[in-house]
Amino acid sequence: MALKIGMIGTNFISDDFCEAAAQVPGAEICAIYSRKQETGDAFAAKHGIPRVYTDFDEFLDSDLDAVYVASPNFAHCPQTLQALKRKKHVLCEKVMAVNEQEVRSMIDCARENTVVLLEAMRPDFDPAFDLIEENLPRIGKLRRATFEFCQYSSRYDSYREGIIQNAFNPELGNAAVMDIGVYCIHSLVRLFGMPKSIRALSTKLPNGFDGSGIVLMEYDGMTAEAVYSKISVSVNPSVLQGEDGSIMIDYISRPETIRLRLREGSRDPLEGGNIEKLPFTPVKNNMIFEIQEFLKLVEKNEVNHKYLKYSLDTIRVLDEVKRQIEIRF
């Protein structure tokens, strides 16, 4: 029996979700909620969604089994809480909420109502990251990890012309560290847990928006850094450095190529060296994996799953980063 899913949000990430859900047996998108009828109608027509709601209570009181929340960050917590209290399972876009207090309240509410809450953090569910973890012992004792996500945003062009869209509006709970830096931070805390110390640096735009930055994270015997930007682009891979070799990941949010380079016997990497391409088949839209995992958790009614800890640890790091770079929502 298909899981009936209702969607909140009509932006580009919602388009990706619809495309992914169409490839996952057992997922059925039945409704879309939008504040504007015309926006909802256009999105529903584009993706073949049968019902459009502009009243949030009517949307939640319908026969939906689950809700996908892809609204602006500041709305994640209140909308998720309302859905959870209606006994709807929730798949919430990253970041789950804007601070630790909100995330904890969402987790508590899911447990109280015995429904599944899951953050839609793509790397958590991509098989590529299982492959990375499996191969970590091959590179010896870890000494450094640099996870990098620097992607020039098309909306930055509008900002430079004096038009501030939602993606560059800090009043909506947006910041580059929350939008894309979170991929790096989340993946690091998933692999290594909470750091001993955190040091954050930010490059801010005139309106106070966090455009790019670096987060240094200290662990026993190693350091990690999350490098992020929405106002520039990088060609550097993310790298895990061990005493015996390194693992290189091309795109941290959706890996397409993972390479392992062992120290012994290797030469200049431009000459080939001792480099091995780890075998896996990437998919165009890796959101399919988060939807598949969400369906499994719902089927088992696994309310207390491991991903909640990753989300909680991530927001704890983000709260400290925001404190240091003076971001207040």
Side-chain angles (χ1 to χ4, degrees):
M1 187 173 179
L3 187 75
K4 296 180 180 178
I5 303 172
M7 299 179 59
I8 303 173
T10 56
N11 58 23
F12 72 93
I13 200 68
S14 298
D15 288 325
D16 289 347
F17 183 83
C18 288
E19 178 187 285
Q23 302 175 60
V24 179
E28 180 183 354
I29 301 177
C30 298
I32 178 75
Y33 166 76
S34 175
R35 290 175 300 167
K36 297 180 180 179
Q37 186 72 48
E38 57 272 25
T39 303
D41 288 343
F43 189 88
K46 182 179 180 180
H47 295 287
I49 300 174
R51 287 178 281 165
V52 177
Y53 292 90
T54 57
D55 184 291
F56 195 56
D57 287 325
E58 288 183 10
F59 171 75
L60 292 179
D61 288 337
S62 65
D63 62 347
L64 298 173
D65 302 310
V67 173
Y68 169 64
V69 178
S71 50
N73 294 341
F74 77 93
H76 286 185
C77 180
Q79 290 178 339
T80 294
L81 289 176
Q82 290 185 64
L84 294 172
K85 291 174 182 177
R86 301 297 219 290
K87 306 293 185 181
K88 311 294 184 184
H89 305 286
V90 174
L91 178 62
C92 183
E93 259 307 327
K94 57 81 193 163
V95 289
M96 189 182 286
V98 298
N99 57 47
E100 181 183 353
Q101 181 180 354
E102 287 193 349
V103 171
R104 286 190 180 277
S105 70
M106 295 159 73
I107 293 173
D108 289 343
C109 188
R111 288 170 174 164
E112 289 169 5
N113 289 279
T114 323
V115 285
V116 171
L117 169 66
L118 182 66
E119 184 175 19
M121 177 58 67
R122 300 188 191 200
D124 265 352
F125 316 103
D126 195 310
F129 270 79
D130 293 332
L131 188 62
I132 292 166
E133 287 188 276
E134 289 171 12
N135 283 273
L136 277 177
R138 297 180 63 188
I139 63 173
K141 186 173 180 61
L142 280 169
R143 290 304 189 184
R144 184 178 181 182
T146 301
F147 283 5
E148 188 161 335
F149 193 175
C150 299
Q151 179 175 281
Y152 186 94
S153 172
S154 60
R155 291 168 176 78
Y156 186 46
D157 289 333
S158 297
Y159 178 91
R160 295 169 70 178
E161 294 173 359
I163 303 170
I164 301 176
Q165 299 187 28
N166 287 351
F168 280 82
N169 186 349
E171 295 179 3
L172 298 180
N174 292 325
V177 72
M178 303 285 276
D179 294 341
I180 60 176
V182 65
Y183 285 109
C184 304
I185 293 170
H186 187 101
S187 297
L188 287 169
V189 299
R190 172 192 165 171
L191 288 172
F192 311 120
M194 283 294 293
K196 294 169 59 178
S197 66
I198 299 165
R199 179 75 176 96
L201 301 170
S202 170
T203 299
K204 290 185 180 178
L205 302 181
N207 71 334
F209 181 83
D210 163 54
S212 67
I214 300 175
V215 180
L216 300 175
M217 302 162 66
E218 180 189 10
Y219 292 91
D220 288 332
M222 67 167 284
T223 56
E225 57 184 341
V227 182
Y228 64 91
S229 178
K230 290 186 71 173
I231 57 177
S232 63
V233 66
S234 173
V235 296
N236 297 328
S238 293
V239 183
L240 292 154
Q241 297 181 26
E243 292 183 352
D244 298 329
S246 299
I247 294 175
M248 295 164 283
I249 310 156
D250 57 351
Y251 301 112
I252 199 68
S253 64
R254 47 174 185 83
E256 294 180 2
T257 302
I258 303 171
R259 290 183 169 88
L260 182 146
R261 182 189 180 210
L262 297 178
R263 174 180 55 78
E264 185 177 351
S266 65
R267 300 186 301 277
D268 186 337
L270 295 178
E271 298 177 5
N274 191 18
I275 295 179
E276 173 187 345
K277 185 177 180 181
L278 299 182
F280 84 104
T281 303
V283 296
K284 183 179 179 181
N285 185 344
N286 66 350
M287 292 180 81
I288 62 173
F289 301 122
E290 68 186 34
I291 298 173
Q292 288 172 346
E293 185 65 16
F294 183 57
L295 263 60
K296 290 178 184 177
L297 294 174
V298 169
E299 182 181 4
K300 298 176 181 177
N301 201 32
E302 196 170 336
V303 176
N304 296 301
H305 53 78
K306 63 182 181 181
Y307 304 105
L308 294 176
K309 184 180 186 305
Y310 303 155
S311 296
L312 191 55
D313 285 349
T314 298
I315 199 66
R316 291 170 63 196
V317 172
L318 286 171
D319 279 355
E320 177 59 20
V321 170
K322 288 185 294 176
R323 186 191 69 79
Q324 291 188 21
I325 64 178
E326 298 182 334
I327 293 179
R328 296 179 180 85
F329 298 137

